[in-house]
Amino acid sequence: MRAMTIPLALAAGCLFFAACATQGPVEDRPQVTARDLDEITALLRRDFHERGQAKMVRVEQDDVQRACTLHGDNPPAEVAKPLEAAQLQSIRFPAGSLVGNWKNGERIAQSGRGSMWSDKPGVQEGGSCYNCHQLSPAVEAYGTLGPSLAGFGKLRGNTPAMQRYVYGRIYNSKAYNLCSQMPRLGHAGTLNEEQIKDLVALLLDPASPVNR
Ligand code: HEC
């Protein structure tokens, strides 16, 4: 295997540590070829080790991640559309109401715990929503990687179609925007059905602090 070049090292950081956002516009990013990607994955398989619940599957990219990596997060429509459609198909929408309890939703949105190798498997994980979004205007510490969601329900309405969109977005953001930087929280099993419903309530319930 040839020595890892600087662009390859950057690409590896971008792939596995979500550092792309800090690397400037898509056109400035190193071009990753399928061969580079296979080499990077081989290096990671060699150097990373399973620990606790952090299994080796975490270094493998699925077809969506692979397409985004190979196209600098901006794949052509003929690549993106069928993959998005398959992601949308895989969302399991629960029967009945999609709206839970916004009070639980606020706790889940604020919690960033979970998925660490040192966590006990089965410990309920949080949504980390505030890491990337403004939600309740009363909470002053939030990340800005994602758009502000303050007033989301007031602005977008609380219709069944909007409830379905928000549930689907949280379950699998890549069904709507293939290279979305938002984690696939339902798809990956980070959040369960009840938790996603509680987050839908946080965004859409008129009584939620997001909409006051
Ligand atoms: C790592 C950052 C990140 C995290 C964590 C994150 N999001 Fe996002 N989210 C984004 C980004 C970036 C976008 C917008 C661009 C895109 O992906 O299409 C987005 C988009 C959205 C949208 C669609 C907004 C619109 O105008 O239609 C909703 C709803 C949303 N996020 C809710 C949530 C909720 C609820 C959580 C917590 C469970 C969450 N997000 C966690 C980054 C994140």
Side-chain angles (χ1 to χ4, degrees):
M1 183 176 297
R2 67 186 153 96
M4 198 162 169
T5 58
I6 288 181
L8 262 183
L10 264 179
C14 179
L15 291 184
F16 295 98
F17 306 106
C20 299
T22 59
Q23 286 182 19
V26 167
E27 58 274 18
D28 294 346
R29 288 190 206 151
Q31 185 66 41
V32 179
T33 65
R35 187 172 155 222
D36 293 335
L37 184 48
D38 290 342
E39 278 188 23
I40 293 165
T41 309
L43 282 177
L44 290 167
R45 280 195 202 118
R46 190 194 68 192
D47 292 345
F48 279 65
H49 301 285
E50 177 177 321
R51 201 160 175 196
Q53 64 174 348
K55 305 290 182 206
M56 286 306 287
V57 68
R58 293 188 185 186
V59 308
E60 307 293 336
Q61 297 213 323
D62 72 4
D63 52 354
V64 171
Q65 293 162 320
R66 208 176 156 84
C68 291
T69 302
L70 295 177
H71 295 280
D73 278 350
N74 192 19
E78 68 267 23
V79 173
K81 291 297 161 201
L83 287 169
E84 276 173 9
Q87 294 289 297
L88 194 60
Q89 273 295 314
S90 74
I91 298 177
R92 287 202 292 272
F93 288 98
S97 172
L98 299 179
V99 187
N101 176 331
W102 66 258
K103 289 188 183 143
N104 294 337
E106 179 65 324
R107 274 194 295 275
I108 298 161
Q110 288 186 17
S111 166
R113 72 170 297 168
S115 292
M116 300 281 288
W117 65 265
S118 50
D119 287 328
K120 268 203 217 110
V123 168
Q124 195 52 71
E125 303 190 24
S128 301
C129 316
Y130 280 95
N131 284 357
C132 293
H133 295 285
Q134 180 185 34
L135 289 122
S136 162
V139 178
E140 288 174 357
Y142 55 85
T144 53
L145 189 60
S148 170
L149 301 176
F152 191 89
K154 250 198 316 214
L155 294 166
R156 306 279 282 269
N158 186 9
T159 59
M162 189 49 66
Q163 293 166 4
R164 199 174 163 85
Y165 167 66
V166 172
Y167 190 97
R169 255 289 174 183
I170 300 169
Y171 191 101
N172 186 347
S173 190
K174 295 180 198 307
Y176 304 85
N177 171 10
L178 195 72
C179 302
S180 172
Q181 290 181 311
M182 177 163 158
R184 291 175 284 185
L185 293 142
H187 180 88
T190 310
L191 299 179
N192 62 33
E193 187 177 300
E194 232 26 67
Q195 290 180 298
I196 300 178
K197 287 190 199 177
D198 292 341
L199 287 163
V200 173
L202 178 67
L203 262 65
L204 297 181
D205 191 321
S208 144
V210 165
N211 296 313
R212 272 190 259 131

